[in-house]
Amino acid sequence: MGLIASRGILDATHIAQFKKIIGEKNVLADEESLQKYSHDETEHLHYLPEIVLKPRTAEEISSILKICNRENIPVTPRGAGTGLSGGALPQLGGVLISTERMNSIIEIDEKNLQIITEPGVITEVLQNAVKEKGLFYPPDPSSRGSCFIGGNIAENSGGPKAVKYGVVKDYVLNLEIVLATGEIMWTGANVLKNSTGYNLTQLIVGSEGTLGIVTKIVLKLIPLPAYDLLMLVPFASLEKASEAVSAIFRAGYTPSALELVEIDALKITSRFVDSNIVPVTDDMAAHLIIEVDGNHQEILLKEMEAIAALMNKYEALDIFFADDAQQKAELWKLRKRVAEAVKISGYTIEEDTVVPRASLPALIAGVKELGKEYDFHAVCYGHAGDGNLHIRIKKEGLSNSLEDPQMIEALRKLFKLVHNLKGTISGEHGIGLVQKGFMDIVFDDIQLKLMRQIKKAFDPNNILNAGKIFDN
């Protein structure tokens, strides 16, 4: 989709007010800046904001939102721009608020195993900071080296470790937010248990910047596991690989990560990062990446041996065990670069389905059938351990899912299949702009009405990321 110009909502008075609040250098309206902030990692979609603002404090955001709310100016909050559902796309023009300057870790509380951080801290930077103190923040999206923790809050991100440790919502204790009307508030308390009124904290997590802008975050931490072991299990059958996933849990094991990568995606990524660490032969259809972690190495070795023996019952090929930290890092680099590699190779449309683990074979079979029916090629990969399958689609001449009636029809069939399998249409990427037309598949009118009423209670003038999750 080409660049769409904003609607000319702002005037010189607005711009002067913004400059007074945050300083002239943090108000950007030049063509190069607008282009930079016109896209995230969602398909090939671009929408120009009218202006980009880079505040440093909650108070500055409050002053900006008071103006925008009074003048009915659309506001798009933005983190690092790594999102995959269009949540940071300013499709209505107006003001884009970037949190990139709000990038300080305020406190690591080692006694209470908590961290207080601003939203613009890169997730991997936060993880490394607590790791130095022997602590662990498990959620690790593939973009953790560039995504912001605030964006992870907005999307309720997960990643490979979610299968054992849970997703972002499981670690958020309290949030400072700025409402669309400019009020600053805390949503909860810095405690592990809280049964005091409605859980506003968890309501904000995953709300995609539509209810408020997060300005401070209190996260729970856990002790860092002492050891981890990793193996790569190839299969000649994609169906057998997906069947093996459920078998691991039924046998009583809980890996710290369990990823599935279809062979076509693995070939593309191996070429992209120039790596030959993963064996790729013509008889392979998919790989499982299986990791276990804990504090007793001998127990982990026994678990890995037992899981390997179980995999052989599902016709696994030769299993590869990572011998050292370098090999582990190389394997994880491959997995984490898959999305980037396949997108560059033309697989621009990504869906983020999630089903019960045992339904993965049916989901993958359905994807392949839809590809034949609608003349597209799909590669599957993702967090198989929790049933979260990423589906990347390539169709000649089509760069996004919003412009082609046939693709919309195919996706509707895909999401109906997911719903029939007792799953849902997004596991960790959110609804944003590209999935909102399919919300009726998984929610009835009562549910959607309640959600819209919640949105109106938080944002009465509908200025904050309007047109995301729901139509305006």
Side-chain angles (χ1 to χ4, degrees):
M1 179 174 287
L3 289 167
I4 295 180
S6 60
R7 302 183 303 178
I9 300 165
L10 301 178
D11 60 27
T13 301
H14 298 134
I15 295 171
Q17 289 174 321
F18 296 145
K19 287 180 178 179
K20 185 176 181 180
I21 293 167
I22 61 174
E24 187 169 351
K25 68 178 181 179
N26 297 311
V27 177
L28 308 177
D30 60 285
E31 183 68 19
E32 183 179 351
S33 296
L34 298 184
Q35 295 270 2
K36 175 183 174 182
Y37 292 91
S38 71
H39 62 90
D40 58 8
E41 294 301 318
T42 308
E43 302 180 4
H44 285 313
L45 297 171
H46 293 76
Y47 300 91
L48 285 172
E50 197 166 344
I51 200 166
V52 175
L53 306 181
K54 299 198 290 186
R56 180 64 188 88
T57 68
E59 289 73 21
E60 290 175 351
I61 292 177
S62 171
S63 297
I64 292 165
L65 289 183
K66 286 176 181 177
I67 295 169
C68 294
N69 188 59
R70 183 177 66 244
E71 303 290 336
N72 285 306
I73 298 170
V75 176
T76 304
R78 179 185 173 99
T82 61
L84 290 162
S85 62
L89 295 177
Q91 88 281 8
L92 298 178
V95 169
L96 185 144
I97 293 180
S98 170
T99 60
E100 64 196 86
R101 293 178 62 228
M102 304 177 74
N103 59 359
S104 295
I105 293 175
I106 298 167
E107 180 187 4
I108 299 175
D109 182 348
E110 295 179 67
K111 290 182 179 179
N112 290 305
L113 302 188
Q114 295 180 8
I115 184 171
I116 304 175
T117 180
E118 292 181 327
V121 174
I122 292 172
T123 302
E124 190 171 25
V125 170
L126 183 146
Q127 290 176 318
N128 289 339
V130 301
K131 186 176 182 179
E132 289 178 4
K133 298 180 181 298
L135 300 174
F136 188 30
Y137 174 69
D140 61 337
S142 293
S143 58
R144 67 176 184 169
S146 54
C147 64
F148 292 170
I149 192 68
N152 296 171
I153 300 293
E155 302 297 342
N156 191 23
S157 300
K161 304 287 187 187
V163 63
K164 179 177 180 178
Y165 292 105
V167 295
V168 165
K169 72 176 178 61
D170 300 305
Y171 295 86
V172 180
L173 300 177
N174 201 0
L175 297 169
E176 181 189 70
I177 65 171
V178 184
L179 297 174
T181 46
E183 291 96 338
I184 301 171
M185 60 172 276
W186 284 91
T187 59
N190 300 9
V191 293
L192 296 174
K193 296 172 70 176
N194 188 343
S195 184
T196 312
Y198 295 132
N199 195 331
L200 297 179
T201 302
Q202 292 298 318
L203 182 59
I204 296 299
V205 176
S207 64
E208 304 186 42
T210 62
L211 303 182
I213 298 180
V214 173
T215 50
K216 289 188 182 69
I217 302 158
V218 183
L219 298 170
K220 176 180 73 173
L221 305 172
I222 61 176
L224 182 70
Y227 303 101
D228 59 72
L229 302 177
L230 188 68
M231 67 178 172
L232 186 76
V233 187
F235 291 83
S237 161
L238 186 57
E239 183 179 10
K240 287 293 183 183
S242 54
E243 287 177 3
V245 171
S246 177
I248 292 171
F249 296 89
R250 294 199 309 271
Y253 303 106
T254 304
S256 51
L258 205 176
E259 301 286 295
L260 181 147
V261 185
E262 190 176 351
I263 200 67
D264 286 350
L266 196 56
K267 288 177 180 177
I268 292 167
T269 310
S270 294
R271 291 193 298 268
F272 182 70
V273 301
D274 192 23
S275 171
N276 58 6
I277 189 173
V278 174
V280 177
T281 59
D282 291 340
D283 60 340
M284 293 178 182
H287 284 69
L288 293 181
I289 300 172
I290 304 172
E291 180 193 79
V292 296
D293 70 2
N295 294 319
H296 303 286
Q297 192 168 24
E298 63 279 6
I299 294 175
L300 298 179
L301 286 167
K302 289 179 180 178
E303 281 191 9
M304 285 298 250
E305 290 170 1
I307 293 172
L310 180 61
M311 294 299 92
N312 289 326
K313 294 181 180 180
Y314 289 84
E315 303 174 16
L317 303 175
D318 292 337
I319 296 174
F320 172 77
F321 292 88
D323 292 328
D324 52 36
Q326 183 177 350
Q327 287 187 344
K328 293 174 191 174
E330 187 76 8
L331 285 174
W332 278 123
K333 181 176 77 171
L334 276 174
R335 169 60 190 92
K336 290 181 179 296
R337 299 294 293 278
V338 169
E340 179 185 4
V342 296
K343 182 179 180 181
I344 290 172
S345 296
Y347 293 81
T348 55
I349 299 170
E350 176 163 359
E351 306 308 328
D352 172 44
T353 58
V354 57
V355 295
R357 280 190 292 258
S359 296
L360 277 173
L363 174 58
I364 291 172
V367 169
K368 298 303 181 181
E369 285 301 315
L370 283 170
K372 293 175 185 176
E373 182 180 352
Y374 287 92
D375 192 29
F376 63 75
H377 190 261
V379 292
C380 300
Y381 59 93
H383 316 307
D386 49 29
N388 186 193
L389 191 71
H390 300 321
I391 302 161
R392 277 278 183 174
I393 294 171
K394 177 169 71 173
K395 186 172 183 180
E396 293 302 322
L398 188 65
S399 64
N400 69 75
S401 62
L402 299 180
E403 297 180 336
D404 185 77
Q406 264 207 334
M407 182 54 63
I408 293 171
E409 182 180 301
L411 292 178
R412 180 159 279 273
K413 285 187 179 180
L414 170 63
F415 294 142
K416 284 183 177 178
L417 170 63
V418 167
H419 185 54
N420 289 339
L421 293 172
K422 310 301 181 186
T424 194
I425 65 177
S426 179
E428 59 184 9
H429 293 168
I431 297 301
L433 188 64
V434 296
Q435 307 285 20
K436 64 180 183 178
F438 307 106
M439 288 281 276
D440 63 294
I441 295 173
V442 291
F443 293 118
D444 60 30
D445 289 342
I446 295 173
Q447 292 166 309
L448 290 171
K449 182 180 179 181
L450 280 172
M451 291 183 194
R452 290 192 176 98
Q453 288 173 337
I454 291 169
K455 166 67 170 169
K456 189 170 182 63
F458 276 80
D459 180 12
N461 289 335
N462 194 31
I463 66 160
L464 200 53
N465 228 8
K468 309 294 169 56
I469 305 180
F470 317 106
D471 286 323
N472 291 334

